Every structure is written in C-alpha cells, then in structure tokens.
Amino acid sequence: MSALDPAGPAADALAGVWWVMLGGSFLILGAVVALALYAIYGRGARRSGITPRLLIVGGGLVFTPAVLAALLIWGIGAGHALLPLPGEREVYRIEVRAHQWWWEVTYPDAEDGPLHAANEIHIPAGRPVDITVRAEDVIHSFWVPRLGGKIDALPGHTNVIRLEAPAAGVYRGQCAEFCGAQHSRMALLIEAHETEALEERLALLSPTRESDSAEAPGAAAFQEHCAVCHSLDPRTRGATPAPNLADLPHRATLGAGTLPNAEGALLRWLRDHQDLKPGNRMPRHDHLDPETLEAIANHLEGPR
Amino acid sequence: MSAAAFLRPRALLGLIAGYLIWASCFVSLYTLQSVGCALALDLPAGPFGLNATTLVLVIIWLLHLAGLALLIHRTHRSHPENEHASFMRRVSLILHFSALAATLWVGFPVLFLPPCA
Amino acid sequence: MSRSHISPIERHRRLDVDFRTPGGFGRLTSVNHSIVGLRFIYTGLFFFLVGGLLAMLIRAQLATAESAFLGHAAYNQIFTMHGTVMMFLFAIPVLEGLALYLLPKMLGGRDLAFPALSAFGYWCYFFGGMILLAALLLGLAPDSGWFMYTPLSGSTYTPGINSDVWLIGVTFVEVSALAAGVEITVTVLRIRTAGMSLDRMPLFAWYILVTAMMIVVGFPPLILGSILLELERAFDWPFFEVARGGDSLLWQHLFWLFGHPEVYIIFLPAAGIVSTLIPVFARHPMIGYGWIVASIVATGFISFGLWVHHMFTVGIPHLALVFFSAASMLVAIPTGIQFFAWIATLMAGRPYVRLPMLYLFGFLVVFVMGGLTGVMLALVPFNWQVHDTHFVVAHMHYVLVGGMVFPLLAGLTYWLPVASGRMPSERLGVVAFWLIFIGFNLTFFMMHLTGLKGMPRRVYTYDSGLGWETLNLLSSVGGFIMSIGVALVLLDLFLHFRIGQRAPRNPWGAGTLEWTLPKPPPSYNFGSLPRVESREPLHDTPDLPRALAAGEGLLAIPRPDGRETLAVEVVSGRPAHIVKLPAPNWMPFLGAVFTGVFFLSFLLKLYPLAAVGALLALGVFLRWAWSHGRRQDPEPLRAGEGIKLLPQAAVPAAPGWWGLLFTLVADGTVLAALLFGYLFLWTVAPNWPPPAFIELQPLIPLLGALALLVGLLAARGALAANRRAAAGMRGIWLLVLLLAGLLAAGALLAIPLGAPPPQTHAYFAVTAVLAGYGAFHCLLGVVMAGFVLLRCRAGFVSALRQLDLRVLQLWWDYTSGAGLLILAAIMLLPWVLAP
C-alpha cells in the first residue's frame, strides 16, 4: 500500500520527486537552523560579512523564488504528463462507482456488453488504464498508492484517472475521502494480469454456475432474502445496487477488504457483518436461522 | 499621485492597489477559464491556432500586467513630503513590484497549457 | 473642569472609577479590553485542553491496528470535534484575545475602538462554544469531519441534529470573530496615541491589522456556506444536492475560500509575536521593518489565492490547478523574507536566550518543516499522491502547532509579567518545552511516513500487516509525551500566579508601550497618553512610566464620566479627536443571550421562538445605539500640550462610521460569495439548466430598481439637508427613504414569491436567497431610517453632530448598490447564459 514502493510510471514519477524534495528539504532546514544558531551563538556573527541585505535579498528574493520556480515548472510538466490525454497507446477502460462503503466496478468494453463486479479490478499489465470514477451517494476518493495519485469520486461528476501497472500483481487501494461510518473499511484491490490470465479471470464473471440449479438448497433462500439488492448475474446492476456476487468465490476479500475470503469466512460475514463492519448498508440477518445462512453461503461459494 | 496622497486614509488603498490588481487578475483568470471550458470554447477558433479561451486568458493577463506597470510608474514618480509619506511610498513600491512578479508568476502557464484538460 | 495639576493618586482614583468593572453579577457587564481579552484567552485555553483530550483519544485508538477502544460513531465525532474545537474555539479566539488584550497597551490607548462590541463577541463565542461542548457531552456532536463536506453532512446521510450543531454553533462563534475583526481593524487604524504613525506602529499591530482584515473578508464565505447548508437541511432548499441542480463542490469552494485564509489568520498573529520578541531578545531594532510590512500585506492577499489546493483531486482542469499551485508556492516567498529578516536581526544584535526564545527556536524548526512540506503539497502531482493521507495530517500540524502553538507559548511566557507582574519560571518551562518539542516531532514526523505508506486520514481503524503499526504506535507515544509537556506548562502557569518572582517594570528590556504600565495594569492602562517619536518609545525615554503616571502626557486630566482616549489620523498618527468609551453595561451580555436564543431555537427547530430571539436582540442593539451621542453641540476639549480636540459625536468619520464601513466589507463578501455560488452552479453543476427560468413582468424589477435609487438619493438628501440645518427637509427625506425602502423590499421579495418554490431546483433556491439578502438589507435600512428619524426628533442630530445620518447614508449606499446588483443578476443572467 506504500507510495514509496511505486509500480508504474505515475507512481514512479511521484516517488522520484518525493526523494528529491526530501533531500532538498533537509538541506534547507539544516541551513536555516544552522544560520539561526550561528546568529544566536556565533561569536563572529557580527563580523562575518553576512549583512542583512545579503540575507533578505539573497535569501528572500533570490534563493526562495529560484527554488520555487524550478519546482513549479517541473511540477507543471509532471502533472501534464499524468493527464489522461489521448495518445498513441491503446487504453483499457474501467468504470468505478463508489458507494458507502464499497466499489462497484464495470468493464464497459467486455464482449457482449458491460460486466459488473465489486471491490476488485482486473486490468492488463503493461497497458495504460483509464478509470472513470463517480459516486453514487457521498464523496469518496479512489486511490491505489503503488500505482499513482488519487481522484475524487463525486456525485454528479465523472473524473478520469490514468494508471498503469508494469507487471502482474495485486495492488491495494483504499477510499481516501472521509465518507462516513465505514470510511475505514472501504478497500479495493487492483490485480494486473498478463493478457490471457485476464481473460480467464474475467471469464469467472459468468452468469451461470454449476450450483445455480433451482434444487440447490440456498438458491431459493438467496432469491427470497438477498436478490432484492444483490445480483448473481454480472450483466445486471440491480435496482438498488449492492455488490454483484457473480465471482464471489474468487474474490480475495469480503466486505471491501474487511476480512480475507478464506474457508468459512463467508458464513461468518453473513452472520456477523454488522459487528465486523458496523453500520454497513446490509441489514442484520438475525431473523435467519443458521441452516438458512449456511445454505446461502454454500450457494454463493459454489464448488471451490 | 500627489504628495499628500500618502497621508490620507486612502493611502491604505494605495498600499494594496497592486495586490488588488493581482487579485482581480487571479479571479478573472480562474473564472473565465471555468466559464470558457463550461461553454466549450476550447476549440481552436482564434488566430495562430489558439483556442478562444486561451486567447481571452492571455489578453486578461496582459491587461493586468499593464495596469500594474502603470501603477508602479505613478507611484515611482511621486514625491513624498515627510517621513511617514516616504515610508508609505517605499512599502507601496515593494508591494506593487511584488504584485507584478506575482501576476507574472501565476499567469504564465496560460501561454502553454491547454485550458480545459 | 480643572486645569490645575492633579496628583498621580488622584488621577488613578478618578480614572479607575470610570473604567473599573463592578463586582458580583456586574462582572457580566464588563467591557474592559483587559478583562475581555483575558476571558478570550482563558476560554480558548480551556478549549485547547478539550481539543487536546480529544486528540489523546484519537491517538489511543490509532495506537494499535484493529483497536477495539472506540467505535466508528464515537471516533467520527471525536476527530470532527478535535478539528472544530482547535480551529474555531481555540486558535482564533486565543489569538483574538491576545490582540484585544495587548493592542491598546501597545498602541497607547485606554481601550479598544468598540469595547462593548468585543464584549458582545466574547459572549457569542462563549455561548456558541457551549452549544458545541454540550453536543459533545450528549453524544450528538457533528461527525462529518470539521470540513463538513456535503452530501455526507446533508440531511440524507446525516439525518440527526449533529450537522446542525456544527453549522449553528460555529456560525455563532464566527459572529464573534467578525466582531473582533471589525474591532481590531478600526482600533489599529484609529485608536492610537499621539505621534504613532503607521511607520512607528509595533509590527505586532501590523500583523494583527492584516489578520483582522483577513477575518473580515475570509469568514463570510463560510458563514454563507453554513447558512445555505442549514437552509438545505432545515427547509430542503437544494444548494448542494445534485439531483435538484445543486453541487457538492460548491460547499468545498465556500469552505476552503474561508479555510485556507484561516491558516494564515492563525499564522500571522503568531508571526507577529515572533517579530515582537526577536528584536527584544536580539537587543537590536527589527531589521527590514518595511520589508516585513510588505510581506504581511502580500501574505494576506496571496493566501486568498490558495484555496483550491485543498481540491486538487476533485477533477478541476489542470490549468486551473496550476494557477493555485503557483500561488501556493508564491506564499512561501513573503514568509521566507520574514525568516531572513528575523535571522538578520539576530545577527546584528547581541542575542540572549530565555524561555521565550526557546519556544521561538521550536517555532523555527517546526514551522520551517511545515513550510517545506507545504511547498511539496503545492506541487500538483505530488498532492494527488498524498492528499487526504496522514502526510497532510503531519504537514498541517507542523504548520499550525509550529506556526501558532509554539509562538503562542513564547508570547504567553513573554507577556505573562504584564498581566501577572511575575516572571515565568525558567526551569520548569525548559523541561516543558523539550517535552512538547520532542513529543510533537515524534508524533507528527512519523505521520509523514505513515501517509506515504498509504494510510488515509480520518480512519478509525486499520488492518495490521500494511506496515503502519510501528509508526502509529510511535505517534501515539509521542502524543502522550507532548501532553505531559502541556500539563507541565499548566502546572507552571498555576505556580507562576502563586509563587512567581516579582517582575521588574521592563524585565526583557523591550521598547514598546505595554512595558510602561504598572503591573498588573490598571483598568484604564495609561494615566496619560504618551507622545511617540519612534518605534521604541521606551528606549527613547526610559523614564516614560513615571512621566505618564505623573500626567506628563495627553488627556492627563480626567473629565467627570470621561472615559476618554485619543483617535488619530490614520497614517500620520496626528491626534484627530477624542473618543468617549462606553461604561460597563448589559448590552453585550443581553445581546448575546438573545442572539443565542435565536440560534438555539433554530437548532431545535422552534422557528417562532427564533424570530422572537432575533427581534429581542435587535431591540437590545437599538437601545444601545440610542444611548450614544449628545443633545448639544460640543465644544473642542483640551487634550493637553495646548491641543484642543472635538469629541467623536461631532466628527464625521468617527470610529462608528469606520466600523460600519468594515462591517459592510464583510457583508459585501457574503454577497460576492453568493454571486459566485450562483455563477458556479450555473456553469458547473450537472443538472442545469433548471426546468424553467423566472419570467417576470419587467414592472416589478423596474419598480424595485427605482425604489433603490430613490433610497440612495433620499439618504444623501437627508444628510445634505442636515448640513444646511434644514430640519423639515431632513424629515421629509427620511420619510421618503422609509417608503422607498419598504417598496424596494417588497419588489425584491415578489420575485421568489412569484416563482416556483425554492425546493424544486437550486436555481429557484439561489434566486430566493439573493432576493432575500436584498430585501433583508432594505428592511434593516428602513428600521435604521425610522430610528434616525426618532433620533432627529429627540435632538441627537445637528449640522455638527451628523454621525447618525452618515451611518444611514453609508448603509443605503451599500444597500442600493447591492440591491441593483442582485436585480441585475436575477434578471440579466438568464438572458445572457440561458441557451
């Protein structure tokens, strides 16, 4: 999650400038403190030839503006280079809608129409990705530090950020703008794949699964208790969007990073989600007996 | 600016006149850039392949710079009558010069950055 | 009136009778700047402890990953209140208090320009703070962050009272800040002693003057934002709701339009403390006085061009970001000049180190680091990375604690002897300093790294294994070390007032006037007012304390019920007239109580009661205004040194006129921010254009415009008639003004009343607020016209005593101009911008 362990051109540039600025800052701080101490304690300070004019003009009017001008001009160039402007390279597109407190992910260019998923974004490695970000309720901010800067998700506006992962791997992100009760538990994962692996992973966003036969004991319960908000079909967003569950068994975490999706985690989540992530928008399941919950969990997990 | 001008209450306005121009330039640049982009004036429509928004911004910027230059000229020409007035004149000059530098500083990116990207 | 010499004891007795605050419940009537200033400081320090306690809770929670100490609900209230308390209830009020306490003593006045106004401001601050504190204790505190971003703070996502507490409590406190802003501006410009020209003013006064002007221009956008958000929450007027034409970004603009200057409003007075102390401890006059004055003014302006650097990630075009990035870097230059001037002064002098200097050293190190990270954050691409992370938390605390708390502690230790007559303890103080310094750096230096390692701000919990645990634990340990240091400072203060060593008259060898006063200072400050020849009068005349007490200055013979001080010409410092200061009275307290009834009833949605509170407050203010002035034309009064001066009742540009002028500057900023909002929504908000535009018969706006013009002429006509001593004509003009004002208000109100309800679209809501703003000013102008008419009848107004009419004229100049602008905006903008 560290911006100091950058991956990709955007984050590389930002980490690079950080180290330069850090070094410069320590030099300036050291110089100012040394100058002040010398002014207070130095014996020869009054004979040293450091005149007030030299300090005010040399320090205040020449040195500071020169450093700032260099930084400003460099910053303008660096900022401009990170903009999602049309270029020569082909760009992969992703749409993200931020909700209290999860991320709705859409692959708009998937074959046969857009695919919907949640809290995980799968992208090709070594290719620029434009992520279009908006918010469905309050303001959130989309941020994957190892890949680059952040962009706010606002209601009514769309913003685009360009990121690029140089190699296959998992990059953690988290909501950066305070968005209410569970701002802390609003993580997301970006996973970069080589081309074929990406296709395989996206194929898991499939509307049909082996356990989906009507006889599956959990299917009816899911229809009754969950389907009002949740969909198992990645082709539909649902009327009141809640995380799409099509590829749930293959996700790394549950509850937008609240707990690892390990053996038994889903059942625990269904039972205790209001204790694990208090205030989240899913109602408590206290009215469901343990057998029903287990059946739903089995239904959702399918054959692992 | 007459000599006694530095002693009237309005001299305070004279003290900040340069920065009022700076503020006016800053607000105008920001507002016109937003309005220009909202009205989608960033298509090349002006001379030299410049788009209309950039052209407007450059003109606004130059006008403010000219205003500041005029202000500096007038302040520089004046003759203060006593130590208080001469203090006001000196500080006014520092402020006007710095306002000119500040206007150059914040405005120069309009010359080479696309206005709405 | 006696011209003869009176003894210092007799002078003290006569002055103290006039200036003293009564005991018992009479304390509530105090208007004395020393008492009011100290109340601000004590109350502010109390809130510092509250805010510090909240900080400790935050650090306790974040010390470990997945902590079970606090839940999200409590944590979100706590971090919101920590920011709110520290910014609004500690930093600003304490600095205001310091300024109110010190300014007259440094400028050579017996009190401020409007002592009753600052007393009123104190009670507003006190009651507003109590509303927020009560909410915290009841668990109803605001929980959307101290920045209150919509829509999170709106009624959909925060249905409870929490956001209303913030909006109403903070606005109440801001009334106090605005009062202090106007108070200080007029005091520094007019209420100085003879010969104190602008170029001889202590630098502290320059800093405070610019700060006060910044408050006057900087607070109105947030007050407007708060009013709009409260209107949205209470009455469903959609200013920020996207679906009905609002935009949450409008709130961010209004908030940071205030929020960034706020940082400099906090920093500048603290820098003023530094610029006061450095020459004293360097034993050398300040080098580069003119450069510093220019730097202060430049900082004041540039700090208004930075606000969007809090919004670099909201998706504004890069070019606009670059404007703000450039301005954000620019502001470092005047700050740098001040640093180099301080160092130059130290180099030129023979510095000696005492406790205040130690705190200044802390300031130097910490604030320079804050400034450097500030420049980093001004860099757009780097900001995209670290915005809203703990890096910013670190930066902000380096700037605010470094730029305000350390100088404040230096200033408190330095000026303690003025208030207490005792010296601060070096030993305990030094230990406390190092604990605070080390604890602070341990806490916040780590946060730079925590932020770079990806930890966002405002999270109540975090997972283990992300590399954040050690850094957070160190931060928490540092926080507790720092709080031990703060506790030692408190212990030191307590001991100081009990067993501190007696201080000599001028313990640090300073040259400014506050060190000429007896310790603790008498209620009236100066027995007689000095004539000042330089920036350091006490160095010119070490004998000044005795001479002033012996009556060798101006206004040395107190007139019965006099309470006099000097007003000077703004630039030259030549005595201009005599100001009569108010006696202790109930107006400030009662005015604030009724204002409090208004705010509290609004909070509890008891709107009729709120209206009653507002009317009662208005009544108190009018009664107060009635008590001023006199019914006979005054003669010029002897001021000493053979000078004769008129009292303010007979002066056209009396402090009251200046006070209104700066109040109108604030008022105009509200209108400017409102017009900005109107234009912003029109061009940026997604759901525009509105379903329909307001279509009016041209008759109503034309009638309104005509009435406004008549009002403008009538107010001027009344003033001109008064100058000719034509009382009959004056009365007729005032009656015309009354009618024109009512007509203009009616025409303005007719516009929203004839339009679809404000709830339907932001367009109608903004139009209604614009029209309401104009109508409100017209109606207040009508009340003022009626009031002045009665004052004329009662004989308070003459050709010489024209202040009432001058104030009325200024009000109507503004109201007419604002009203015409509003009509133009409502009628012409649809015509220009509608597709």
Side-chain angles (χ1 to χ4, degrees):
Chain A
M1 184 87 194
S2 172
L4 300 180
D5 177 19
D12 271 340
L14 300 178
V17 69
W18 154 250
W19 292 114
V20 172
M21 290 194 300
L22 180 69
S25 295
F26 271 119
L27 279 181
I28 293 173
L29 177 69
V32 171
V33 172
L35 206 56
L37 289 177
Y38 178 61
I40 298 173
Y41 294 108
R43 292 249 167 109
R46 270 142 299 281
R47 279 164 279 126
S48 63
I50 305 180
T51 60
R53 177 176 289 269
L54 180 70
L55 280 170
I56 293 178
V57 175
L61 294 180
V62 177
F63 174 73
T64 322
V67 171
L68 292 175
L71 202 57
L72 178 65
I73 289 169
W74 184 89
I76 293 173
H80 190 73
L82 296 180
L83 296 179
L85 299 172
E88 289 163 13
R89 301 172 66 196
E90 202 192 343
V91 174
Y92 193 77
R93 295 199 310 141
I94 296 283
E95 287 173 14
V96 168
R97 290 182 182 85
H99 297 256
Q100 279 185 328
W101 292 278
W102 61 283
W103 305 91
E104 184 180 2
V105 178
T106 302
Y107 300 87
D109 301 328
E111 285 172 46
D112 311 323
L115 286 174
H116 304 285
N119 298 332
E120 279 182 17
I121 305 177
H122 298 276
I123 58 167
R127 221 175 111 182
V129 181
D130 276 3
I131 301 176
T132 305
V133 180
R134 77 193 79 179
E136 295 289 297
D137 37 47
V138 303
I139 300 173
H140 306 267
S141 189
F142 178 92
W143 185 40
V144 184
R146 291 192 59 212
L147 296 183
K150 60 183 70 63
I151 192 82
D152 288 356
L154 301 161
H157 296 269
T158 53
N159 286 322
V160 182
I161 187 168
R162 175 165 300 172
L163 300 174
E164 183 177 335
V170 179
Y171 306 89
R172 187 177 187 272
Q174 189 165 347
C175 176
E177 182 60 83
F178 180 65
C179 55
Q182 282 304 330
H183 168 54
S184 311
R185 299 220 177 274
M186 190 169 162
L188 82 155
L189 296 176
I190 286 190
E191 190 168 358
H193 305 266
E194 302 303 337
T195 315
E196 284 136 45
L198 179 64
E199 278 170 20
E200 281 170 27
R201 181 60 183 81
L202 290 184
L204 297 173
L205 284 171
S206 147
T208 51
R209 289 187 308 189
E210 289 144 53
S211 63
D212 279 355
S213 59
E215 299 94 73
F222 179 85
Q223 277 307 322
E224 186 185 344
H225 300 293
C226 316
V228 184
C229 305
H230 290 284
S231 166
L232 278 168
D233 179 359
R235 302 277 171 201
T236 59
R237 281 189 70 210
T240 48
N244 191 297
L245 301 177
D247 63 345
L248 188 70
H250 308 284
R251 291 208 204 130
T253 69
L254 295 175
T258 303
L259 72 166
N261 192 7
E263 193 75 45
L266 182 59
L267 186 58
R268 183 168 164 229
W269 170 255
L270 289 178
R271 210 170 43 223
D272 299 333
H273 66 93
Q274 282 296 353
D275 301 320
L276 294 162
K277 186 173 176 177
N280 80 71
R281 297 292 187 216
M282 181 156 67
R284 283 184 178 278
H285 296 147
D286 295 346
H287 59 292
L288 299 180
D289 54 58
E291 291 76 32
T292 314
L293 281 179
E294 207 172 331
I296 293 175
N298 285 337
H299 172 64
L300 288 175
E301 282 185 330
R304 285 182 81 97
Chain B
M1 203 177 283
S2 76
F6 286 113
L7 295 178
R8 291 203 218 105
R10 289 199 183 171
L12 288 174
L13 223 49
L15 206 63
I16 60 175
Y19 270 96
L20 286 176
I21 296 179
W22 174 86
S24 154
C25 183
F26 193 82
V27 170
S28 313
L29 286 182
Y30 177 57
T31 311
L32 291 172
Q33 186 258 350
S34 302
V35 173
C37 293
L39 301 179
L41 295 178
D42 58 332
L43 307 167
F48 314 118
L50 283 174
N51 65 57
T53 302
T54 298
L55 201 64
V56 170
L57 295 184
V58 171
I59 291 171
I60 291 291
W61 183 52
L62 292 177
L63 282 178
H64 282 94
L65 289 174
L68 278 163
L70 187 69
L71 180 69
I72 290 173
H73 176 67
R74 287 188 51 178
T75 314
H76 194 73
R77 229 177 29 184
S78 62
H79 301 285
E81 61 184 355
N82 62 20
E83 52 169 322
H84 312 310
S86 123
F87 169 80
M88 295 297 280
R89 175 177 176 275
R90 198 168 78 85
V91 176
S92 300
L93 274 177
I94 299 178
L95 280 168
H96 298 349
F97 269 111
S98 73
L100 179 68
T103 309
L104 280 169
W105 178 285
V106 297
F108 80 93
V110 300
L111 294 176
F112 56 88
L113 279 182
C116 304
Chain C
M1 194 186 309
S2 157
R3 285 181 59 192
S4 60
H5 184 78
I6 58 172
S7 73
I9 303 288
E10 173 66 7
R11 177 174 300 106
H12 169 75
R13 200 190 53 74
R14 287 205 217 163
L15 283 168
D16 195 48
V17 163
D18 278 348
F19 281 89
R20 193 174 45 203
T21 295
F25 281 113
R27 285 171 213 271
L28 299 179
T29 67
S30 180
V31 294
N32 186 291
H33 81 96
S34 294
I35 292 178
V36 172
L38 287 179
R39 281 178 186 166
F40 264 108
I41 295 176
Y42 293 149
T43 316
L45 289 178
F46 165 74
F47 279 113
F48 178 62
L49 296 184
V50 173
L53 202 67
L54 296 173
M56 290 304 97
L57 292 174
I58 292 174
R59 277 326 314 169
Q61 168 74 6
L62 294 184
T64 53
E66 292 165 67
S67 163
F69 175 56
L70 294 171
H72 66 87
Y75 185 86
N76 291 347
Q77 289 192 17
I78 285 171
F79 91 78
T80 300
M81 283 300 284
H82 168 70
T84 305
V85 165
M86 286 302 197
M87 288 299 226
F88 293 104
L89 303 181
F90 160 62
I92 300 271
V94 160
L95 293 169
E96 273 166 25
L98 197 67
L100 296 177
Y101 182 81
L102 285 174
L103 277 178
K105 299 182 174 66
M106 296 179 95
L107 297 174
R110 286 188 176 136
D111 209 314
L112 299 154
F114 316 110
L117 180 65
S118 49
F120 169 71
Y122 173 75
W123 292 116
C124 286
Y125 161 51
F126 180 81
F127 293 136
M130 287 304 130
I131 290 179
L132 285 161
L133 193 63
L136 182 65
L137 294 176
L138 295 173
L140 295 171
D143 57 0
S144 328
W146 85 282
F147 43 92
M148 292 288 290
Y149 275 7
T150 59
L152 182 60
S153 59
S155 46
T156 312
Y157 299 100
T158 308
I161 200 175
N162 312 53
S163 295
D164 303 305
V165 168
W166 191 96
L167 295 169
I168 283 169
V170 166
T171 303
F172 200 3
V173 173
E174 282 175 342
V175 170
S176 135
L178 273 184
V182 171
E183 168 85 276
I184 288 169
T185 308
V186 180
T187 301
V188 175
L189 290 180
R190 298 306 310 273
I191 311 296
R192 308 194 297 260
T193 193
M196 189 174 281
S197 52
L198 284 185
D199 53 310
R200 289 179 190 152
M201 223 162 56
L203 276 172
F204 184 74
W206 272 108
Y207 279 98
I208 298 292
L209 172 64
V210 172
T211 308
M213 286 302 302
M214 289 176 67
I215 290 179
V216 167
V217 184
F219 275 57
L222 180 58
I223 293 182
L224 174 74
S226 300
I227 292 173
L228 297 186
L229 183 50
E230 189 53 35
L231 284 175
E232 176 172 303
R233 289 182 55 89
F235 305 123
D236 200 26
W237 293 21
F239 300 100
F240 307 107
E241 188 197 305
V242 170
R244 284 180 286 161
D247 195 337
S248 58
L249 284 180
L250 174 59
W251 171 266
Q252 296 196 15
H253 277 290
L254 291 175
F255 186 85
W256 292 117
L257 212 48
F258 144 84
H260 203 87
E262 157 94 345
V263 176
Y264 289 85
I265 287 171
I266 290 173
F267 167 64
L268 280 182
I273 296 174
V274 180
S275 283
T276 309
L277 268 58
I278 290 274
V280 173
F281 289 97
R283 289 183 279 204
H284 191 284
M286 191 72 204
I287 285 175
Y289 181 96
W291 283 103
I292 292 188
V293 171
S295 297
I296 305 168
V297 176
T299 306
F301 272 90
I302 298 171
S303 66
F304 280 88
L306 313 185
W307 83 89
V308 168
H309 82 211
H310 298 264
M311 301 168 62
F312 276 174
T313 61
V314 303
I316 292 172
H318 190 227
L319 176 62
L321 300 187
V322 168
F323 293 150
F324 288 92
S325 172
S328 306
M329 293 190 184
L330 200 57
V331 80
I333 295 174
T335 312
I337 289 176
Q338 290 168 63
F339 263 92
F340 285 109
W342 293 330
I343 291 177
T345 307
L346 287 171
M347 283 216 177
R350 294 170 292 114
Y352 72 110
V353 176
R354 291 287 178 279
L355 188 54
M357 271 301 271
L358 207 51
Y359 279 114
L360 288 190
F361 174 75
F363 153 77
L364 178 94
V365 175
V366 173
F367 186 75
V368 167
M369 285 177 71
L372 288 167
T373 51
V375 170
M376 295 182 191
L377 282 168
L379 198 72
V380 176
F382 185 70
N383 185 295
W384 286 338
Q385 185 61 284
V386 294
H387 176 69
D388 269 335
T389 70
H390 271 72
F391 187 92
V392 175
V393 180
H395 158 72
M396 183 187 82
H397 284 87
Y398 267 84
V399 169
L400 290 173
V401 176
M404 187 267 174
V405 176
F406 278 102
L408 180 72
L409 288 170
L412 285 181
T413 1
Y414 173 77
W415 276 302
L416 260 181
V418 172
S420 68
R422 296 169 188 270
M423 294 301 287
S425 128
E426 288 281 329
R427 274 191 218 155
L428 204 52
V430 169
V431 176
F433 165 78
W434 284 110
L435 283 174
I436 293 177
F437 185 76
I438 293 169
F440 172 82
N441 280 295
L442 187 58
T443 311
F444 292 102
F445 192 81
M446 298 307 147
M447 286 190 197
H448 293 114
L449 304 174
T450 329
L452 283 165
K453 280 174 167 275
M455 181 159 167
R457 298 171 80 171
R458 299 152 188 160
V459 290
Y460 77 99
T461 185
Y462 55 93
D463 291 344
S464 53
L466 294 166
W468 303 341
E469 294 101 317
T470 316
L471 292 169
N472 270 302
L473 187 61
L474 286 174
S475 282
S476 295
V477 171
F480 285 93
I481 294 177
M482 184 177 172
S483 39
I484 295 171
V486 172
L488 275 191
V489 170
L490 289 181
L491 178 66
D492 191 11
L493 275 179
F494 177 75
L495 292 177
H496 170 92
F497 281 97
R498 289 297 170 89
I499 56 168
Q501 274 185 341
R502 289 278 159 204
R505 181 69 70 114
N506 187 3
W508 316 108
T512 39
L513 288 175
E514 75 273 27
W515 300 104
T516 62
L517 302 179
K519 293 186 178 43
S523 52
Y524 51 85
N525 290 342
F526 296 92
S528 62
L529 305 187
R531 175 169 286 281
V532 167
E533 311 278 344
S534 80
R535 284 176 199 152
E536 298 184 322
L538 196 50
H539 285 166
D540 300 343
T541 323
D543 187 36
L544 203 54
R546 188 210 54 79
L548 295 181
E552 292 171 23
L554 296 156
L555 297 180
I557 316 282
R559 277 172 270 268
D561 196 30
R563 284 186 299 277
E564 290 169 350
T565 195
L566 275 181
V568 297
E569 288 174 8
V570 174
V571 179
S572 69
R574 206 175 309 149
H577 59 261
I578 290 176
V579 171
K580 186 168 185 276
L581 297 163
N585 66 85
W586 284 97
M587 183 286 284
F589 183 74
L590 287 180
V593 165
F594 292 134
T595 313
V597 169
F598 167 74
F599 278 117
L600 201 59
S601 320
F602 204 96
L603 180 60
L604 302 173
K605 307 200 184 300
L606 306 169
Y607 301 118
L609 190 58
V612 171
L615 285 176
L616 284 173
L618 181 67
V620 170
F621 300 144
L622 288 177
R623 174 73 193 78
W624 163 251
W626 188 266
S627 70
H628 286 262
R630 46 205 295 171
R631 296 177 200 235
Q632 290 88 35
D633 282 348
E635 296 289 318
L637 305 170
R638 277 175 223 283
E641 295 184 2
I643 308 174
K644 282 188 162 187
L645 298 171
L646 280 169
Q648 93 232 41
V651 181
W657 184 87
W658 283 77
L660 179 64
L661 182 69
F662 289 109
T663 310
L664 288 176
V665 171
D667 201 356
T669 317
V670 173
L671 179 59
L674 185 56
L675 290 170
F676 164 80
Y678 186 35
L679 199 65
F680 178 86
L681 289 178
W682 200 302
T683 50
V684 176
N687 287 316
W688 281 66
F693 287 105
I694 293 175
E695 284 175 37
L696 277 178
Q697 300 282 339
L699 185 67
I700 290 175
L702 280 180
L703 205 64
L706 194 67
L708 288 166
L709 284 173
V710 170
L712 181 77
L713 289 178
R716 288 168 168 263
L719 187 64
N722 182 59
R723 281 207 191 109
R724 298 192 309 269
M729 206 52 213
R730 182 182 67 190
I732 292 171
W733 276 124
L734 287 174
L735 282 174
V736 171
L737 181 57
L738 269 172
L739 292 176
L742 284 173
L743 194 62
L748 279 162
L749 284 179
I751 294 172
L753 289 177
Q759 285 86 351
T760 44
H761 193 273
Y763 169 67
F764 302 115
V766 173
T767 308
V769 174
L770 275 168
Y773 176 96
F776 176 75
H777 281 72
C778 289
L779 289 176
L780 216 52
V782 166
V783 172
M784 285 167 75
F787 180 79
V788 172
L789 197 60
L790 293 177
R791 295 266 294 176
C792 289
R793 289 265 170 86
F796 283 106
V797 182
S798 77
L800 186 64
R801 289 168 282 127
Q802 47 178 317
L803 186 59
D804 289 62
L805 283 163
R806 294 249 313 162
V807 164
L808 187 66
Q809 179 229 331
L810 186 57
W811 179 267
W812 273 99
D813 279 1
Y814 176 77
T815 299
S816 304
L820 291 170
L821 197 63
I822 288 168
L823 283 173
I826 294 177
M827 303 313 298
L828 298 184
L829 213 56
W831 186 61
V832 176
L833 282 177

